[in-house]
Amino acid sequence: MQANNHDLIITGIHMDLTESLKQGVKDKVERLFRHEERIIRVKVELECDHTKGGKEHEFTAKGHIEINGPSMNVSVHDADCHKAIDLLVDKLDRMLRRRSRLRLVKRKDTHGVDIPANLPKV
């Protein structure tokens, strides 16, 4: 699936991905692509844990962002799959904003270098 020359890979583990689920993930992840243009690929894995007793299932949403620099990996657990997707995208968005903010601070924070040698000051 292409979204503005970016790759979005959606995978379902132990569950079937419905069209509404795929479209919901696409719509949510599109926000990440708008915030950061350097994203190469986003992988979203949705996993259903059937080992819990009874009718309750626990859903795990895992997100992997491949970007210039270190990749970002996030995992979120919730009883509702759509809520897990919302929490996952919110967490990834916070990580991207923090990374962008730190890049700006490092770039703007220039400081003088103290050389421990006796050099003549001109």
PDB file of all heavy atoms in Angstrom, residues 1-38:
ATOM      1  N   MET A   1       0.835  -1.179   0.000  1.00  0.00           N
ATOM      2  CA  MET A   1       0.000   0.000   0.000  1.00  0.00           C
ATOM      3  C   MET A   1       0.881   1.243   0.000  1.00  0.00           C
ATOM      4  O   MET A   1       1.742   1.372   0.850  1.00  0.00           O
ATOM      5  CB  MET A   1      -0.858   0.002   1.258  1.00  0.00           C
ATOM      6  CG  MET A   1      -1.932  -1.039   1.260  1.00  0.00           C
ATOM      7  SD  MET A   1      -2.661  -1.132   2.887  1.00  0.00           S
ATOM      8  CE  MET A   1      -2.490  -2.878   3.149  1.00  0.00           C
ATOM      9  N   GLN A   2       0.688   2.100  -0.932  1.00  0.00           N
ATOM     10  CA  GLN A   2       1.482   3.323  -1.034  1.00  0.00           C
ATOM     11  C   GLN A   2       0.696   4.502  -0.474  1.00  0.00           C
ATOM     12  O   GLN A   2      -0.485   4.634  -0.721  1.00  0.00           O
ATOM     13  CB  GLN A   2       1.822   3.614  -2.496  1.00  0.00           C
ATOM     14  CG  GLN A   2       2.847   2.673  -3.077  1.00  0.00           C
ATOM     15  CD  GLN A   2       4.233   2.981  -2.586  1.00  0.00           C
ATOM     16  OE1 GLN A   2       4.548   4.132  -2.317  1.00  0.00           O
ATOM     17  NE2 GLN A   2       5.055   1.973  -2.442  1.00  0.00           N
ATOM     18  N   ALA A   3       1.357   5.319   0.268  1.00  0.00           N
ATOM     19  CA  ALA A   3       0.748   6.543   0.785  1.00  0.00           C
ATOM     20  C   ALA A   3       1.772   7.661   0.636  1.00  0.00           C
ATOM     21  O   ALA A   3       2.699   7.746   1.422  1.00  0.00           O
ATOM     22  CB  ALA A   3       0.350   6.376   2.244  1.00  0.00           C
ATOM     23  N   ASN A   4       1.639   8.466  -0.418  1.00  0.00           N
ATOM     24  CA  ASN A   4       2.555   9.579  -0.669  1.00  0.00           C
ATOM     25  C   ASN A   4       4.011   9.105  -0.759  1.00  0.00           C
ATOM     26  O   ASN A   4       4.886   9.612  -0.078  1.00  0.00           O
ATOM     27  CB  ASN A   4       2.430  10.657   0.415  1.00  0.00           C
ATOM     28  CG  ASN A   4       1.071  11.300   0.414  1.00  0.00           C
ATOM     29  OD1 ASN A   4       0.347  11.233  -0.573  1.00  0.00           O
ATOM     30  ND2 ASN A   4       0.728  11.915   1.520  1.00  0.00           N
ATOM     31  N   ASN A   5       4.266   8.098  -1.591  1.00  0.00           N
ATOM     32  CA  ASN A   5       5.599   7.524  -1.794  1.00  0.00           C
ATOM     33  C   ASN A   5       6.183   6.910  -0.522  1.00  0.00           C
ATOM     34  O   ASN A   5       7.377   6.732  -0.415  1.00  0.00           O
ATOM     35  CB  ASN A   5       6.575   8.571  -2.344  1.00  0.00           C
ATOM     36  CG  ASN A   5       6.166   9.047  -3.709  1.00  0.00           C
ATOM     37  OD1 ASN A   5       5.545   8.302  -4.470  1.00  0.00           O
ATOM     38  ND2 ASN A   5       6.503  10.277  -4.027  1.00  0.00           N
ATOM     39  N   HIS A   6       5.369   6.609   0.452  1.00  0.00           N
ATOM     40  CA  HIS A   6       5.813   5.936   1.660  1.00  0.00           C
ATOM     41  C   HIS A   6       5.144   4.567   1.710  1.00  0.00           C
ATOM     42  O   HIS A   6       4.016   4.399   1.264  1.00  0.00           O
ATOM     43  CB  HIS A   6       5.423   6.720   2.922  1.00  0.00           C
ATOM     44  CG  HIS A   6       6.011   8.094   2.986  1.00  0.00           C
ATOM     45  ND1 HIS A   6       7.347   8.322   3.197  1.00  0.00           N
ATOM     46  CD2 HIS A   6       5.440   9.306   2.872  1.00  0.00           C
ATOM     47  CE1 HIS A   6       7.567   9.616   3.215  1.00  0.00           C
ATOM     48  NE2 HIS A   6       6.429  10.243   3.008  1.00  0.00           N
ATOM     49  N   ASP A   7       5.834   3.612   2.271  1.00  0.00           N
ATOM     50  CA  ASP A   7       5.280   2.270   2.405  1.00  0.00           C
ATOM     51  C   ASP A   7       4.545   2.141   3.725  1.00  0.00           C
ATOM     52  O   ASP A   7       5.033   2.585   4.770  1.00  0.00           O
ATOM     53  CB  ASP A   7       6.390   1.218   2.366  1.00  0.00           C
ATOM     54  CG  ASP A   7       6.891   0.952   0.968  1.00  0.00           C
ATOM     55  OD1 ASP A   7       6.110   1.155   0.021  1.00  0.00           O
ATOM     56  OD2 ASP A   7       8.042   0.533   0.830  1.00  0.00           O
ATOM     57  N   LEU A   8       3.391   1.502   3.665  1.00  0.00           N
ATOM     58  CA  LEU A   8       2.635   1.147   4.861  1.00  0.00           C
ATOM     59  C   LEU A   8       2.325  -0.329   4.756  1.00  0.00           C
ATOM     60  O   LEU A   8       1.668  -0.764   3.807  1.00  0.00           O
ATOM     61  CB  LEU A   8       1.348   1.968   4.967  1.00  0.00           C
ATOM     62  CG  LEU A   8       0.377   1.555   6.068  1.00  0.00           C
ATOM     63  CD1 LEU A   8       1.025   1.695   7.441  1.00  0.00           C
ATOM     64  CD2 LEU A   8      -0.884   2.383   5.992  1.00  0.00           C
ATOM     65  N   ILE A   9       2.808  -1.105   5.711  1.00  0.00           N
ATOM     66  CA  ILE A   9       2.597  -2.545   5.713  1.00  0.00           C
ATOM     67  C   ILE A   9       1.749  -2.882   6.935  1.00  0.00           C
ATOM     68  O   ILE A   9       2.134  -2.585   8.067  1.00  0.00           O
ATOM     69  CB  ILE A   9       3.943  -3.299   5.766  1.00  0.00           C
ATOM     70  CG1 ILE A   9       4.790  -2.924   4.553  1.00  0.00           C
ATOM     71  CG2 ILE A   9       3.702  -4.802   5.832  1.00  0.00           C
ATOM     72  CD1 ILE A   9       6.210  -3.409   4.631  1.00  0.00           C
ATOM     73  N   ILE A  10       0.589  -3.494   6.683  1.00  0.00           N
ATOM     74  CA  ILE A  10      -0.325  -3.879   7.761  1.00  0.00           C
ATOM     75  C   ILE A  10      -0.389  -5.399   7.790  1.00  0.00           C
ATOM     76  O   ILE A  10      -0.681  -6.029   6.771  1.00  0.00           O
ATOM     77  CB  ILE A  10      -1.724  -3.287   7.547  1.00  0.00           C
ATOM     78  CG1 ILE A  10      -1.659  -1.775   7.392  1.00  0.00           C
ATOM     79  CG2 ILE A  10      -2.635  -3.664   8.705  1.00  0.00           C
ATOM     80  CD1 ILE A  10      -2.949  -1.154   6.933  1.00  0.00           C
ATOM     81  N   THR A  11      -0.133  -5.981   8.961  1.00  0.00           N
ATOM     82  CA  THR A  11      -0.119  -7.428   9.107  1.00  0.00           C
ATOM     83  C   THR A  11      -1.022  -7.830  10.262  1.00  0.00           C
ATOM     84  O   THR A  11      -1.008  -7.193  11.316  1.00  0.00           O
ATOM     85  CB  THR A  11       1.320  -7.918   9.402  1.00  0.00           C
ATOM     86  OG1 THR A  11       2.209  -7.372   8.443  1.00  0.00           O
ATOM     87  CG2 THR A  11       1.406  -9.425   9.367  1.00  0.00           C
ATOM     88  N   GLY A  12      -1.785  -8.900  10.061  1.00  0.00           N
ATOM     89  CA  GLY A  12      -2.611  -9.453  11.120  1.00  0.00           C
ATOM     90  C   GLY A  12      -2.038 -10.786  11.568  1.00  0.00           C
ATOM     91  O   GLY A  12      -1.796 -11.663  10.741  1.00  0.00           O
ATOM     92  N   ILE A  13      -1.823 -10.933  12.852  1.00  0.00           N
ATOM     93  CA  ILE A  13      -1.285 -12.171  13.408  1.00  0.00           C
ATOM     94  C   ILE A  13      -2.377 -12.809  14.259  1.00  0.00           C
ATOM     95  O   ILE A  13      -2.880 -12.194  15.196  1.00  0.00           O
ATOM     96  CB  ILE A  13      -0.020 -11.898  14.256  1.00  0.00           C
ATOM     97  CG1 ILE A  13       1.037 -11.220  13.400  1.00  0.00           C
ATOM     98  CG2 ILE A  13       0.508 -13.197  14.862  1.00  0.00           C
ATOM     99  CD1 ILE A  13       2.237 -10.736  14.170  1.00  0.00           C
ATOM    100  N   HIS A  14      -2.766 -14.036  13.913  1.00  0.00           N
ATOM    101  CA  HIS A  14      -3.829 -14.782  14.592  1.00  0.00           C
ATOM    102  C   HIS A  14      -5.175 -14.075  14.493  1.00  0.00           C
ATOM    103  O   HIS A  14      -6.011 -14.207  15.374  1.00  0.00           O
ATOM    104  CB  HIS A  14      -3.501 -15.036  16.072  1.00  0.00           C
ATOM    105  CG  HIS A  14      -2.201 -15.736  16.295  1.00  0.00           C
ATOM    106  ND1 HIS A  14      -1.946 -16.985  15.828  1.00  0.00           N
ATOM    107  CD2 HIS A  14      -1.076 -15.338  16.924  1.00  0.00           C
ATOM    108  CE1 HIS A  14      -0.711 -17.352  16.170  1.00  0.00           C
ATOM    109  NE2 HIS A  14      -0.155 -16.352  16.827  1.00  0.00           N
ATOM    110  N   MET A  15      -5.374 -13.304  13.438  1.00  0.00           N
ATOM    111  CA  MET A  15      -6.644 -12.626  13.224  1.00  0.00           C
ATOM    112  C   MET A  15      -6.774 -12.245  11.749  1.00  0.00           C
ATOM    113  O   MET A  15      -5.780 -12.124  11.047  1.00  0.00           O
ATOM    114  CB  MET A  15      -6.763 -11.375  14.107  1.00  0.00           C
ATOM    115  CG  MET A  15      -5.779 -10.277  13.798  1.00  0.00           C
ATOM    116  SD  MET A  15      -5.882  -8.856  14.887  1.00  0.00           S
ATOM    117  CE  MET A  15      -7.366  -8.097  14.348  1.00  0.00           C
ATOM    118  N   ASP A  16      -8.012 -12.097  11.309  1.00  0.00           N
ATOM    119  CA  ASP A  16      -8.275 -11.667   9.944  1.00  0.00           C
ATOM    120  C   ASP A  16      -8.414 -10.149   9.929  1.00  0.00           C
ATOM    121  O   ASP A  16      -9.096  -9.580  10.775  1.00  0.00           O
ATOM    122  CB  ASP A  16      -9.556 -12.304   9.411  1.00  0.00           C
ATOM    123  CG  ASP A  16      -9.422 -13.809   9.247  1.00  0.00           C
ATOM    124  OD1 ASP A  16      -8.308 -14.256   8.922  1.00  0.00           O
ATOM    125  OD2 ASP A  16     -10.423 -14.516   9.454  1.00  0.00           O
ATOM    126  N   LEU A  17      -7.780  -9.525   8.946  1.00  0.00           N
ATOM    127  CA  LEU A  17      -7.876  -8.074   8.822  1.00  0.00           C
ATOM    128  C   LEU A  17      -9.075  -7.739   7.942  1.00  0.00           C
ATOM    129  O   LEU A  17      -9.130  -8.128   6.780  1.00  0.00           O
ATOM    130  CB  LEU A  17      -6.607  -7.499   8.186  1.00  0.00           C
ATOM    131  CG  LEU A  17      -5.340  -7.575   9.026  1.00  0.00           C
ATOM    132  CD1 LEU A  17      -4.161  -7.052   8.231  1.00  0.00           C
ATOM    133  CD2 LEU A  17      -5.503  -6.786  10.302  1.00  0.00           C
ATOM    134  N   THR A  18     -10.032  -7.018   8.494  1.00  0.00           N
ATOM    135  CA  THR A  18     -11.187  -6.574   7.721  1.00  0.00           C
ATOM    136  C   THR A  18     -10.830  -5.293   6.983  1.00  0.00           C
ATOM    137  O   THR A  18      -9.843  -4.624   7.315  1.00  0.00           O
ATOM    138  CB  THR A  18     -12.390  -6.332   8.646  1.00  0.00           C
ATOM    139  OG1 THR A  18     -12.055  -5.278   9.566  1.00  0.00           O
ATOM    140  CG2 THR A  18     -12.759  -7.582   9.418  1.00  0.00           C
ATOM    141  N   GLU A  19     -11.635  -4.952   5.998  1.00  0.00           N
ATOM    142  CA  GLU A  19     -11.387  -3.726   5.248  1.00  0.00           C
ATOM    143  C   GLU A  19     -11.504  -2.489   6.138  1.00  0.00           C
ATOM    144  O   GLU A  19     -10.759  -1.532   5.991  1.00  0.00           O
ATOM    145  CB  GLU A  19     -12.345  -3.613   4.063  1.00  0.00           C
ATOM    146  CG  GLU A  19     -11.944  -4.463   2.879  1.00  0.00           C
ATOM    147  CD  GLU A  19     -10.541  -4.153   2.371  1.00  0.00           C
ATOM    148  OE1 GLU A  19     -10.202  -2.963   2.219  1.00  0.00           O
ATOM    149  OE2 GLU A  19      -9.780  -5.112   2.148  1.00  0.00           O
ATOM    150  N   SER A  20     -12.460  -2.513   7.072  1.00  0.00           N
ATOM    151  CA  SER A  20     -12.605  -1.353   7.964  1.00  0.00           C
ATOM    152  C   SER A  20     -11.384  -1.199   8.862  1.00  0.00           C
ATOM    153  O   SER A  20     -10.953  -0.075   9.156  1.00  0.00           O
ATOM    154  CB  SER A  20     -13.873  -1.482   8.808  1.00  0.00           C
ATOM    155  OG  SER A  20     -13.757  -2.542   9.722  1.00  0.00           O
ATOM    156  N   LEU A  21     -10.820  -2.320   9.285  1.00  0.00           N
ATOM    157  CA  LEU A  21      -9.624  -2.267  10.125  1.00  0.00           C
ATOM    158  C   LEU A  21      -8.439  -1.726   9.324  1.00  0.00           C
ATOM    159  O   LEU A  21      -7.699  -0.860   9.803  1.00  0.00           O
ATOM    160  CB  LEU A  21      -9.319  -3.667  10.657  1.00  0.00           C
ATOM    161  CG  LEU A  21      -8.570  -3.802  11.953  1.00  0.00           C
ATOM    162  CD1 LEU A  21      -9.242  -3.009  13.060  1.00  0.00           C
ATOM    163  CD2 LEU A  21      -8.478  -5.262  12.346  1.00  0.00           C
ATOM    164  N   LYS A  22      -8.276  -2.206   8.098  1.00  0.00           N
ATOM    165  CA  LYS A  22      -7.182  -1.717   7.245  1.00  0.00           C
ATOM    166  C   LYS A  22      -7.334  -0.224   6.950  1.00  0.00           C
ATOM    167  O   LYS A  22      -6.363   0.533   7.008  1.00  0.00           O
ATOM    168  CB  LYS A  22      -7.158  -2.481   5.921  1.00  0.00           C
ATOM    169  CG  LYS A  22      -6.687  -3.897   6.021  1.00  0.00           C
ATOM    170  CD  LYS A  22      -6.720  -4.538   4.645  1.00  0.00           C
ATOM    171  CE  LYS A  22      -6.409  -6.003   4.711  1.00  0.00           C
ATOM    172  NZ  LYS A  22      -6.492  -6.629   3.378  1.00  0.00           N
ATOM    173  N   GLN A  23      -8.559   0.189   6.632  1.00  0.00           N
ATOM    174  CA  GLN A  23      -8.792   1.601   6.321  1.00  0.00           C
ATOM    175  C   GLN A  23      -8.569   2.477   7.548  1.00  0.00           C
ATOM    176  O   GLN A  23      -8.026   3.578   7.453  1.00  0.00           O
ATOM    177  CB  GLN A  23     -10.208   1.804   5.773  1.00  0.00           C
ATOM    178  CG  GLN A  23     -10.441   3.155   5.166  1.00  0.00           C
ATOM    179  CD  GLN A  23      -9.509   3.435   3.995  1.00  0.00           C
ATOM    180  OE1 GLN A  23      -9.275   2.572   3.152  1.00  0.00           O
ATOM    181  NE2 GLN A  23      -8.963   4.638   3.946  1.00  0.00           N
ATOM    182  N   GLY A  24      -8.959   1.978   8.722  1.00  0.00           N
ATOM    183  CA  GLY A  24      -8.732   2.727   9.960  1.00  0.00           C
ATOM    184  C   GLY A  24      -7.243   2.922  10.229  1.00  0.00           C
ATOM    185  O   GLY A  24      -6.814   4.010  10.616  1.00  0.00           O
ATOM    186  N   VAL A  25      -6.455   1.871  10.003  1.00  0.00           N
ATOM    187  CA  VAL A  25      -5.010   1.985  10.202  1.00  0.00           C
ATOM    188  C   VAL A  25      -4.419   2.969   9.192  1.00  0.00           C
ATOM    189  O   VAL A  25      -3.598   3.820   9.546  1.00  0.00           O
ATOM    190  CB  VAL A  25      -4.334   0.597  10.079  1.00  0.00           C
ATOM    191  CG1 VAL A  25      -2.827   0.732  10.062  1.00  0.00           C
ATOM    192  CG2 VAL A  25      -4.765  -0.308  11.223  1.00  0.00           C
ATOM    193  N   LYS A  26      -4.850   2.881   7.922  1.00  0.00           N
ATOM    194  CA  LYS A  26      -4.337   3.806   6.897  1.00  0.00           C
ATOM    195  C   LYS A  26      -4.628   5.253   7.266  1.00  0.00           C
ATOM    196  O   LYS A  26      -3.755   6.114   7.149  1.00  0.00           O
ATOM    197  CB  LYS A  26      -4.996   3.513   5.549  1.00  0.00           C
ATOM    198  CG  LYS A  26      -4.357   2.434   4.765  1.00  0.00           C
ATOM    199  CD  LYS A  26      -4.920   2.485   3.359  1.00  0.00           C
ATOM    200  CE  LYS A  26      -5.312   1.114   2.900  1.00  0.00           C
ATOM    201  NZ  LYS A  26      -5.930   1.091   1.582  1.00  0.00           N
ATOM    202  N   ASP A  27      -5.869   5.514   7.690  1.00  0.00           N
ATOM    203  CA  ASP A  27      -6.249   6.885   8.035  1.00  0.00           C
ATOM    204  C   ASP A  27      -5.437   7.416   9.210  1.00  0.00           C
ATOM    205  O   ASP A  27      -5.024   8.574   9.221  1.00  0.00           O
ATOM    206  CB  ASP A  27      -7.743   6.960   8.360  1.00  0.00           C
ATOM    207  CG  ASP A  27      -8.612   6.691   7.133  1.00  0.00           C
ATOM    208  OD1 ASP A  27      -8.097   6.794   6.004  1.00  0.00           O
ATOM    209  OD2 ASP A  27      -9.797   6.364   7.327  1.00  0.00           O
ATOM    210  N   LYS A  28      -5.226   6.576  10.214  1.00  0.00           N
ATOM    211  CA  LYS A  28      -4.479   7.020  11.403  1.00  0.00           C
ATOM    212  C   LYS A  28      -3.003   7.240  11.080  1.00  0.00           C
ATOM    213  O   LYS A  28      -2.399   8.214  11.520  1.00  0.00           O
ATOM    214  CB  LYS A  28      -4.595   5.984  12.520  1.00  0.00           C
ATOM    215  CG  LYS A  28      -5.994   5.663  12.938  1.00  0.00           C
ATOM    216  CD  LYS A  28      -6.516   6.664  13.899  1.00  0.00           C
ATOM    217  CE  LYS A  28      -7.886   6.187  14.354  1.00  0.00           C
ATOM    218  NZ  LYS A  28      -8.695   7.251  14.825  1.00  0.00           N
ATOM    219  N   VAL A  29      -2.412   6.322  10.314  1.00  0.00           N
ATOM    220  CA  VAL A  29      -0.976   6.402  10.033  1.00  0.00           C
ATOM    221  C   VAL A  29      -0.663   7.543   9.070  1.00  0.00           C
ATOM    222  O   VAL A  29       0.443   8.085   9.081  1.00  0.00           O
ATOM    223  CB  VAL A  29      -0.467   5.041   9.504  1.00  0.00           C
ATOM    224  CG1 VAL A  29       0.943   5.131   8.980  1.00  0.00           C
ATOM    225  CG2 VAL A  29      -0.535   4.006  10.622  1.00  0.00           C
ATOM    226  N   GLU A  30      -1.641   7.953   8.275  1.00  0.00           N
ATOM    227  CA  GLU A  30      -1.438   9.077   7.357  1.00  0.00           C
ATOM    228  C   GLU A  30      -1.005  10.330   8.121  1.00  0.00           C
ATOM    229  O   GLU A  30      -0.235  11.142   7.624  1.00  0.00           O
ATOM    230  CB  GLU A  30      -2.729   9.348   6.574  1.00  0.00           C
ATOM    231  CG  GLU A  30      -2.562  10.326   5.455  1.00  0.00           C
ATOM    232  CD  GLU A  30      -1.622   9.839   4.371  1.00  0.00           C
ATOM    233  OE1 GLU A  30      -1.594   8.632   4.090  1.00  0.00           O
ATOM    234  OE2 GLU A  30      -0.896  10.680   3.821  1.00  0.00           O
ATOM    235  N   ARG A  31      -1.472  10.466   9.356  1.00  0.00           N
ATOM    236  CA  ARG A  31      -1.080  11.595  10.208  1.00  0.00           C
ATOM    237  C   ARG A  31       0.431  11.600  10.452  1.00  0.00           C
ATOM    238  O   ARG A  31       1.070  12.654  10.460  1.00  0.00           O
ATOM    239  CB  ARG A  31      -1.844  11.498  11.533  1.00  0.00           C
ATOM    240  CG  ARG A  31      -1.547  12.628  12.490  1.00  0.00           C
ATOM    241  CD  ARG A  31      -2.400  12.515  13.715  1.00  0.00           C
ATOM    242  NE  ARG A  31      -1.760  11.615  14.651  1.00  0.00           N
ATOM    243  CZ  ARG A  31      -2.300  11.224  15.796  1.00  0.00           C
ATOM    244  NH1 ARG A  31      -3.501  11.615  16.130  1.00  0.00           N
ATOM    245  NH2 ARG A  31      -1.661  10.431  16.605  1.00  0.00           N
ATOM    246  N   LEU A  32       1.017  10.407  10.629  1.00  0.00           N
ATOM    247  CA  LEU A  32       2.458  10.322  10.863  1.00  0.00           C
ATOM    248  C   LEU A  32       3.236  10.777   9.635  1.00  0.00           C
ATOM    249  O   LEU A  32       4.249  11.464   9.753  1.00  0.00           O
ATOM    250  CB  LEU A  32       2.852   8.886  11.224  1.00  0.00           C
ATOM    251  CG  LEU A  32       2.213   8.296  12.467  1.00  0.00           C
ATOM    252  CD1 LEU A  32       2.645   6.847  12.633  1.00  0.00           C
ATOM    253  CD2 LEU A  32       2.562   9.095  13.699  1.00  0.00           C
ATOM    254  N   PHE A  33       2.759  10.386   8.449  1.00  0.00           N
ATOM    255  CA  PHE A  33       3.438  10.784   7.223  1.00  0.00           C
ATOM    256  C   PHE A  33       3.357  12.289   7.011  1.00  0.00           C
ATOM    257  O   PHE A  33       4.272  12.887   6.451  1.00  0.00           O
ATOM    258  CB  PHE A  33       2.845  10.056   6.010  1.00  0.00           C
ATOM    259  CG  PHE A  33       3.202   8.595   5.960  1.00  0.00           C
ATOM    260  CD1 PHE A  33       2.213   7.641   5.808  1.00  0.00           C
ATOM    261  CD2 PHE A  33       4.515   8.173   6.042  1.00  0.00           C
ATOM    262  CE1 PHE A  33       2.535   6.293   5.744  1.00  0.00           C
ATOM    263  CE2 PHE A  33       4.846   6.837   5.988  1.00  0.00           C
ATOM    264  CZ  PHE A  33       3.854   5.892   5.834  1.00  0.00           C
ATOM    265  N   ARG A  34       2.266  12.917   7.440  1.00  0.00           N
ATOM    266  CA  ARG A  34       2.149  14.371   7.304  1.00  0.00           C
ATOM    267  C   ARG A  34       3.100  15.093   8.248  1.00  0.00           C
ATOM    268  O   ARG A  34       3.631  16.151   7.920  1.00  0.00           O
ATOM    269  CB  ARG A  34       0.708  14.816   7.590  1.00  0.00           C
ATOM    270  CG  ARG A  34      -0.239  14.565   6.459  1.00  0.00           C
ATOM    271  CD  ARG A  34      -1.522  15.325   6.667  1.00  0.00           C
ATOM    272  NE  ARG A  34      -2.091  15.156   7.992  1.00  0.00           N
ATOM    273  CZ  ARG A  34      -3.139  14.377   8.270  1.00  0.00           C
ATOM    274  NH1 ARG A  34      -3.729  13.699   7.318  1.00  0.00           N
ATOM    275  NH2 ARG A  34      -3.601  14.286   9.499  1.00  0.00           N
ATOM    276  N   HIS A  35       3.331  14.532   9.423  1.00  0.00           N
ATOM    277  CA  HIS A  35       4.193  15.194  10.410  1.00  0.00           C
ATOM    278  C   HIS A  35       5.667  15.072  10.059  1.00  0.00           C
ATOM    279  O   HIS A  35       6.435  15.975  10.340  1.00  0.00           O
ATOM    280  CB  HIS A  35       3.971  14.587  11.799  1.00  0.00           C
ATOM    281  CG  HIS A  35       2.712  15.029  12.444  1.00  0.00           C
ATOM    282  ND1 HIS A  35       2.683  15.691  13.624  1.00  0.00           N
ATOM    283  CD2 HIS A  35       1.414  14.907  12.071  1.00  0.00           C
ATOM    284  CE1 HIS A  35       1.431  15.966  13.955  1.00  0.00           C
ATOM    285  NE2 HIS A  35       0.651  15.488  13.014  1.00  0.00           N
ATOM    286  N   GLU A  36       6.058  13.947   9.497  1.00  0.00           N
ATOM    287  CA  GLU A  36       7.484  13.711   9.260  1.00  0.00           C
ATOM    288  C   GLU A  36       7.679  13.217   7.833  1.00  0.00           C
ATOM    289  O   GLU A  36       7.175  12.167   7.462  1.00  0.00           O
ATOM    290  CB  GLU A  36       8.008  12.675  10.254  1.00  0.00           C
ATOM    291  CG  GLU A  36       9.475  12.379  10.150  1.00  0.00           C
ATOM    292  CD  GLU A  36      10.341  13.578  10.435  1.00  0.00           C
ATOM    293  OE1 GLU A  36      10.256  14.151  11.527  1.00  0.00           O
ATOM    294  OE2 GLU A  36      11.118  13.949   9.534  1.00  0.00           O
ATOM    295  N   GLU A  37       8.421  13.969   7.029  1.00  0.00           N
ATOM    296  CA  GLU A  37       8.604  13.605   5.629  1.00  0.00           C
ATOM    297  C   GLU A  37       9.730  12.601   5.421  1.00  0.00           C
ATOM    298  O   GLU A  37       9.865  12.052   4.340  1.00  0.00           O
ATOM    299  CB  GLU A  37       8.854  14.858   4.779  1.00  0.00           C
ATOM    300  CG  GLU A  37      10.162  15.557   5.052  1.00  0.00           C
ATOM    301  CD  GLU A  37      10.098  16.508   6.238  1.00  0.00           C
ATOM    302  OE1 GLU A  37       8.997  16.737   6.772  1.00  0.00           O
ATOM    303  OE2 GLU A  37      11.159  17.007   6.648  1.00  0.00           O
ATOM    304  N   ARG A  38      10.548  12.358   6.430  1.00  0.00           N
ATOM    305  CA  ARG A  38      11.696  11.467   6.269  1.00  0.00           C
ATOM    306  C   ARG A  38      11.371  10.004   6.547  1.00  0.00           C
ATOM    307  O   ARG A  38      12.263   9.162   6.550  1.00  0.00           O
ATOM    308  CB  ARG A  38      12.838  11.919   7.179  1.00  0.00           C
ATOM    309  CG  ARG A  38      13.367  13.294   6.829  1.00  0.00           C
ATOM    310  CD  ARG A  38      14.440  13.768   7.775  1.00  0.00           C
ATOM    311  NE  ARG A  38      13.981  13.745   9.147  1.00  0.00           N
ATOM    312  CZ  ARG A  38      14.618  13.137  10.159  1.00  0.00           C
ATOM    313  NH1 ARG A  38      15.740  12.537   9.953  1.00  0.00           N
ATOM    314  NH2 ARG A  38      14.126  13.159  11.368  1.00  0.00           N
TER     315      ARG A  38
END
